[in-house]
Amino acid sequence: MSVTSRYREAWEGFWRDAPDDPGAVFWDAEPALTAGLHLALFEPHMSAAGLPLVDLGCGNGTQTRFLADRFPRVLGIDLSAAALDHARRADPAGQVDFRQLDVAATSEAEQLHAEVGDVNIYMRGVLHQCDPADRRPLLDSIATLLGDRGRAFLVELSEAARPVLLGLVQSPTGPPPKLAPIFAHGLAPAEAVDATVDEEVEAAGLTILAGAELPLTSTEFRPDGTRIELPARWLVVGAS
């Protein structure tokens, strides 16, 4: 199974229209506020030294480049060719191996695992806006990529983020400029229910090894100048 065509087309459209400017995308916060914080939580659970690290759903590669400074081999994987165009333009030295893959397609995940072996995975903000039919295949493919030794760090908006987002979108002054394109392109953040995500993780044969709440920092600000943060959860998962 591969992702729905609606989902693929929505992301292609979003990234084709997205500016190249750093921080121009709502979730494209600087790594010190995102992947840098997450690594401190993730690294203690990495049980096998030297595994490649896959940034799954890497988008324009901001976090991927940060990770590539800290691990010997990093792959940036995304469904969207337009997103990877952004990522490669921002990485002229070719530090990261960026690839277009539909990881929800079992055959593509199996092929990547056959090439690189077990991996660790960093995935931020993918499951919560997947079409429901795509979440389980994606998690099955994550289990394939992790194998016996890999660990995945998953960061997702919690269901508590949805009313916050709707409040921003329905503001009398209109949605914040960086948030509006997400809804305009038919993307649906914070759609997944927390308990359902946990059940789907476990149904894919993965064990939740750790987890807690940690707000997800955006690049957008409220009228009073405070940065918008959204309720989110992180999980570390691995083979049962």
Side-chain angles (χ1 to χ4, degrees):
M1 179 176 178
S2 60
V3 298
T4 60
S5 60
R6 184 213 66 82
Y7 180 74
R8 183 192 299 270
E9 291 162 4
W11 279 111
E12 286 293 353
F14 175 85
W15 282 114
R16 277 196 301 268
D17 292 346
D20 270 334
D21 302 336
V25 172
F26 181 76
W27 57 80
D28 193 31
E30 53 268 38
L33 301 176
T34 48
L37 298 178
H38 300 152
L39 271 187
L41 301 168
F42 187 20
E43 286 184 308
H45 297 280
M46 293 182 179
S47 58
L51 295 186
L53 180 67
V54 171
D55 183 5
L56 188 54
C58 66
N60 62 0
T62 298
Q63 312 307 318
T64 328
R65 296 190 299 276
F66 170 85
L67 295 168
D69 287 334
R70 287 150 181 83
F71 294 93
R73 185 177 186 189
V74 173
L75 289 80
I77 303 297
D78 205 277
L79 175 71
S80 167
L84 295 175
D85 288 342
H86 283 277
R88 293 186 180 110
R89 284 196 295 271
D91 182 33
Q95 183 182 16
V96 177
D97 181 2
F98 287 110
R99 303 190 190 188
Q100 183 184 11
L101 289 176
D102 177 359
V103 181
T106 304
S107 60
E108 296 194 31
E110 290 173 344
Q111 183 175 350
L112 181 60
H113 186 261
E115 176 189 343
V116 301
D118 293 356
V119 301
N120 291 316
I121 291 174
Y122 175 73
M123 189 173 80
R124 183 174 67 105
V126 175
L127 281 175
H128 74 87
Q129 45 71 36
C130 279
D131 285 345
D134 293 334
R135 285 198 294 267
R136 177 60 191 278
L138 176 59
L139 287 164
D140 286 341
S141 291
I142 287 173
T144 295
L145 292 170
L146 296 180
D148 295 329
R149 300 179 297 155
R151 298 287 184 264
F153 188 84
L154 313 179
V155 186
E156 298 295 336
L157 293 185
S158 66
E159 58 192 274
R162 184 154 184 77
V164 177
L165 285 165
L166 290 177
L168 292 168
V169 170
Q170 296 168 358
S171 167
T173 58
K178 296 177 188 177
L179 184 60
I182 297 173
F183 288 89
H185 283 281
L187 302 171
E191 283 293 326
V193 176
D194 299 346
T196 300
V197 170
D198 292 355
E199 291 168 1
E200 290 176 335
V201 165
E202 292 170 353
L206 296 169
T207 298
I208 297 174
L209 304 170
E213 295 181 358
L214 182 70
L216 196 62
T217 302
S218 79
T219 61
E220 189 62 276
F221 295 83
R222 298 179 186 275
D224 64 4
T226 57
R227 188 187 289 262
I228 294 174
E229 294 184 335
L230 298 174
R233 305 165 65 227
W234 61 268
L235 301 173
V236 176
V237 305
S240 300

